[in-house]
Amino acid sequence: MFDIGFFELLLIGIVGLLVLGPERLPKAARTAGLWVGRIKRSVSTMQREITSQLEAEELRQKLAEQQKKLDEGVNQARRGFEASLGDTVKPGDSRTSTTPPASTPPSAAPDSHDRGTESDSAASSSRDDRPAAPETRPDDATSSPADKDSASR
């Protein structure tokens, strides 16, 4: 900030001693020191706030760039996937509709939480040909009615 050497400080001290006198000079020096300290603290606080705001802005910009790159990558992958689907389905094919056939059993329909790959869709299409197995609970298959009566007692 200021380039004040020993000679300048000595000159300020002598002028202050002559103007204020020996009784009020220590109190004035203490008050001046407190003010200088307060000013330094407020300046350093402002510098830290400005620095943190600049860093936050840089992070926002980097985040926006990364989001843009991610969106571009997702869009490119989507276009590639849609293009590969377009290549596999022929224009005259009757399977171009997006609705499943009416003969598909509900157990063969994909779950909403199941987001598989193309191999999963091929496996699910082979599952459509098989009839759905009835659901059995393990305790029903191994226990007899007599066992159920004895367990309930």
Side-chain angles (χ1 to χ4, degrees), residues 97-141:
S97 67
T98 58
T99 59
S103 63
T104 304
S107 62
D111 293 337
S112 62
H113 68 277
D114 186 15
R115 299 179 193 267
T117 60
E118 291 178 25
S119 62
D120 288 343
S121 65
S124 68
S125 66
S126 66
R127 279 187 263 144
D128 291 343
D129 299 336
R130 292 182 275 154
E135 294 184 20
T136 59
R137 296 191 332 212
D139 58 331
D140 290 343

Side-chain angles (χ1 to χ4, degrees), residues 6 15-16 18 29 33 42-43 46 49 63-64 71 98 107 111 124 129:
F6 180 73
V15 171
L18 292 175
S42 64
V43 167
M46 282 190 246
E49 288 178 7
L63 182 64
D71 290 342
T98 58
S107 62
D111 293 337
S124 68
D129 299 336

